[in-house]
Amino acid sequence: MAAVPWDERDTSSAHRGGQRKSTKLSSLTALARKNPQMRFTSLTHLLTVDFLKECFKELKKDKAPGVDGVTVKEYEVTLEKNLKELVEKLRAKRYKPQPVRRVYIPKSRGGKRPLGIPTVEDKLVQMALKKILEAIFEVDFLDVSYGFRPKRSCHQALDILDKAVMTKTRKGYFKLGRKTSKAKFRQGIKEMNQWLKDVRNQVKLKEWWRVLKLKLIGHFRYYGISGNMPEIQVFYKRTIRLAFKWINRRSQKRSYNWEQFQQFLHFNPLPVPKMYHLTYTLS
């Protein structure tokens, strides 16, 4: 396979599929699709200030800083200057990633998990390189590949699997049997109980009740799959019981009996279980 230098093209951007995508990256993808044997060289020119600026917009602003202590917001103060210097270092091959900052976060089942936090600039370069590599190699993946790919998820993989591996219902229909495993269910309840216990005296009820709503929505969005409604309904009911328990164990705060708590729920309802991933319909 002969190496083919990739020529310079315009640096404008176009909207494709509702998302902003560099024209250069689109051209790169088109070439990769047209000639699977092509080897791309001299891709450094893609790392422009404008391209890095688009990548910077996708960085999460509230993430912890790396070893240099610089946050995303601090880096943004002199963004234009920082990006110009970064591009110069990249093109002159003087760029060197800094060591990651090692932190340890507690595991839900005990112990600690090591986590490496890169600097903002290193995150930026990683994202830029990721986009370039995706533009070239995404066309080589099979449609049935779902792991760690953009705009793909485990739920989509299950949807495809649903068409291939089926179980029979009592009425004679076929469906893919799915439900939350007992271990994950117990762990989810345990984590919810611990969170309610920890948060009850840290912030006002109004604030942690708002977060509780978001936690439930997140749970339903992930586990709300066809066939799993009974499990998320039980999780919902257990959560209400736990909320009642810990709302009455706040230091020097008002207590509720069950009837009063039900009235509180009436005016401050929690999100109810909902199916977010419907993979089959029985009629």
Side-chain angles (χ1 to χ4, degrees), residues 8 20 34 40 52 55 58 60 71 87 89 101 109 157-158 199-200 218 220 255 266 271 273 275 282:
E8 293 276 354
R20 190 176 180 85
K34 183 178 180 180
F40 294 89
L52 291 176
C55 294
E58 297 183 31
K60 295 181 179 179
T71 65
V87 168
K89 287 189 291 185
R101 182 165 69 90
R109 298 185 181 182
L158 286 172
V199 80
R200 72 190 194 280
F220 299 153
S255 296
H266 176 74
M275 292 289 98
L282 300 181

Side-chain angles (χ1 to χ4, degrees), residues 172-207:
Y173 298 102
F174 287 86
K175 68 176 183 179
L176 179 64
R178 308 173 187 173
K179 67 176 184 178
T180 309
S181 70
K182 292 181 179 179
K184 285 187 176 181
F185 180 83
R186 288 194 298 268
Q187 188 60 33
I189 292 295
K190 180 180 178 181
E191 290 176 358
M192 179 63 77
N193 180 65
Q194 188 62 49
W195 180 79
L196 288 168
K197 178 182 178 182
D198 293 341
V199 80
R200 72 190 194 280
N201 289 318
Q202 293 179 1
V203 294
K204 293 181 179 180
L205 173 60
K206 180 180 179 180
E207 177 60 24

Side-chain angles (χ1 to χ4, degrees), residues 35-262:
N35 187 357
Q37 304 302 316
M38 178 180 288
R39 285 185 178 180
F40 294 89
T41 60
S42 304
L43 295 172
T44 311
H45 65 276
L46 292 170
L47 299 170
T48 63
V49 171
D50 288 339
F51 179 52
L52 291 176
K53 195 175 294 183
E54 290 300 318
C55 294
F56 181 82
K57 292 177 181 178
E58 297 183 31
L59 293 182
K60 295 181 179 179
K61 302 294 190 291
D62 58 347
K63 292 299 181 180
V67 292
D68 59 0
V70 178
T71 65
V72 175
K73 291 182 179 179
E74 290 171 342
Y75 192 86
E76 190 175 17
V77 174
T78 54
L79 182 61
E80 196 75 24
K81 174 178 175 292
N82 290 335
L83 294 183
K84 286 181 180 179
E85 292 177 353
L86 177 58
V87 168
E88 289 177 4
K89 287 189 291 185
L90 288 167
R91 294 190 172 183
K93 298 183 179 181
R94 290 186 288 104
Y95 166 78
K96 290 185 179 181
Q98 298 189 54
V100 296
R101 182 165 69 90
R102 178 66 71 189
V103 297
Y104 293 88
I105 57 176
K107 292 183 179 180
S108 56
R109 298 185 181 182
K112 292 185 177 181
R113 177 183 293 108
L115 186 67
I117 303 177
T119 63
V120 173
E121 197 158 85
D122 289 341
K123 288 180 183 178
L124 188 56
V125 174
Q126 289 170 12
M127 180 175 291
L129 295 179
K130 168 182 171 290
K131 287 180 177 292
I132 293 173
L133 291 175
E134 282 179 350
I136 297 173
F137 292 106
E138 263 296 303
V139 296
D140 294 331
F141 283 97
L142 299 176
D143 286 340
V144 294
S145 298
Y146 286 86
F148 302 99
R149 293 181 64 192
K151 300 180 183 178
R152 299 224 171 189
S153 68
C154 59
H155 292 113
Q156 291 174 324
L158 286 172
D159 292 343
I160 297 299
L161 187 62
D162 189 45
K163 299 175 183 178
V165 183
M166 314 291 275
T167 58
K168 199 170 185 178
T169 68
R170 294 178 182 177
K171 294 183 179 181
Y173 298 102
F174 287 86
K175 68 176 183 179
L176 179 64
R178 308 173 187 173
K179 67 176 184 178
T180 309
S181 70
K182 292 181 179 179
K184 285 187 176 181
F185 180 83
R186 288 194 298 268
Q187 188 60 33
I189 292 295
K190 180 180 178 181
E191 290 176 358
M192 179 63 77
N193 180 65
Q194 188 62 49
W195 180 79
L196 288 168
K197 178 182 178 182
D198 293 341
V199 80
R200 72 190 194 280
N201 289 318
Q202 293 179 1
V203 294
K204 293 181 179 180
L205 173 60
K206 180 180 179 180
E207 177 60 24
W208 68 257
W209 199 258
R210 181 185 67 81
V211 178
L212 177 59
K213 291 180 180 180
L214 295 176
K215 281 182 170 290
L216 280 174
I217 291 174
H219 185 87
F220 299 153
R221 283 186 179 277
Y222 188 83
Y223 290 103
I225 306 173
S226 295
N228 201 38
M229 177 59 86
E231 278 67 25
I232 64 174
Q233 285 178 328
V234 173
F235 186 88
Y236 170 74
K237 292 176 181 178
R238 292 276 188 90
T239 298
I240 288 179
R241 284 288 179 179
L242 289 173
F244 174 66
K245 170 186 174 181
W246 292 113
I247 204 173
N248 285 313
R249 297 191 182 183
R250 298 173 298 153
S251 300
Q252 300 178 345
K253 301 291 183 180
R254 176 188 173 186
S255 296
Y256 295 81
N257 59 35
W258 183 248
E259 184 178 346
Q260 291 171 331
F261 181 67
Q262 289 297 315

Side-chain angles (χ1 to χ4, degrees), residues 7-41:
D7 59 323
E8 293 276 354
R9 297 175 186 269
D10 69 279
T11 58
S12 61
S13 296
H15 287 277
R16 296 175 183 270
Q19 289 193 343
R20 190 176 180 85
K21 184 174 182 179
S22 167
T23 303
K24 283 189 174 184
L25 294 186
S26 298
S27 300
L28 203 61
T29 300
L31 285 171
R33 181 179 288 110
K34 183 178 180 180
N35 187 357
Q37 304 302 316
M38 178 180 288
R39 285 185 178 180
F40 294 89
T41 60

